[in-house]
Every structure is written in C-alpha cells, then in structure tokens.
Amino acid sequence: MEYHVGHPAEIAEGGRRVVSCDGVEIGVFRIGGALKAWHNVCPHRQGPVCQGRVYPRVTEPLQADGTTRTLAYDETRMQVACPWHGWEFDLATGASQGSRMKLRPARLRVTEEAVYVVL
Ligand code: FES
C-alpha cells in the first residue's frame, strides 16, 4: 500500500514531514539531498522519535597533543534526538549513539511529482 507524502520539493534539506499511514506514523527526512524514512517509534521506549530536534552531530576534535579544547558540529552527519529521553539517532543510518538499537526504516517511492511511503 502506498501513502502520498507530498511533492519532493516540499521537504527542504534538513526538513521533515511526519505522516500517518492508516495509523502507522512515518517520518520522512531530507538529509544530504536524499529522502530517508523511519518509523516514528523510538527503539528505547516507543517515543515519537521523528518529532525530535534535528541537529548536526557534535564532535570533539583532538588537538596535536591529544587533548580537546572545543566541540564542533559535523554538518554531514545529521541526528534526531528523541523528545522523550534524548537518545540520539543518525538520520542517514538509523544508528543510535551509544547503543546497538536502530530506527526502523520505511520504504519510499519517489517520482518527480510525489513522494510515497510504501508499507
Ligand atoms: S523513548 Fe526515545 S529515548 Fe526513550
């Protein structure tokens, strides 16, 4: 079954749309130019993970002497933080930071005119 999400241009870089597909919520994100879709169910305690804050991954670059002095943002690795307990997930891979849990992917069909979730 396919569910219409909208026109591809309606989801800008870094943006998202959370849709209900007969009661199954799916978050569709545009990351690095590509559209990715994840079930809106956090693998921790089933929170609405796709509705969390989206931001670049925070890194801590090492200096030549092995110390760190600052934090940096890696704009090539976007994360979503689940609004319930703050677990963070990579939006390109679904992998969490600090655990083996992953977001559950959803399939998309994208044409020039429309994006569809396929369940
Ligand atoms: S339910 Fe998402 S972090 Fe706990």
Side-chain angles (χ1 to χ4, degrees):
M1 188 98 179
E2 292 189 335
Y3 300 87
H4 185 255
V5 174
H7 191 281
E10 292 174 344
I11 306 174
E13 181 64 32
R16 88 189 93 179
R17 182 166 284 184
V18 179
V19 294
S20 177
C21 307
D22 285 337
V24 177
E25 289 192 2
I26 304 293
V28 181
F29 298 81
R30 186 174 296 280
I31 302 298
L35 291 168
K36 296 289 285 192
W38 304 103
H39 284 254
N40 190 22
V41 178
C42 181
H44 177 223
R45 299 239 172 124
Q46 290 73 54
V49 62
C50 294
Q51 292 164 266
R53 192 167 71 89
V54 173
Y55 59 94
R57 183 174 182 168
V58 177
T59 63
E60 195 170 3
L62 284 177
Q63 305 296 308
D65 64 0
T67 63
T68 61
R69 294 196 178 93
T70 186
L71 299 177
Y73 291 100
D74 182 349
E75 302 280 344
T76 67
R77 299 186 67 185
M78 299 302 288
Q79 315 283 303
V80 64
C82 180
W84 280 12
H85 310 102
W87 284 31
E88 300 172 8
F89 298 88
D90 185 305
L91 282 169
T93 66
S96 76
Q97 305 294 315
S99 88
R100 290 189 200 155
M101 293 185 180
K102 290 184 83 170
L103 297 179
R104 183 174 166 210
R107 216 173 74 169
L108 293 175
R109 186 171 74 82
V110 182
T111 70
E112 287 187 15
E113 299 298 321
V115 178
Y116 300 92
V117 170
V118 182
L119 295 179

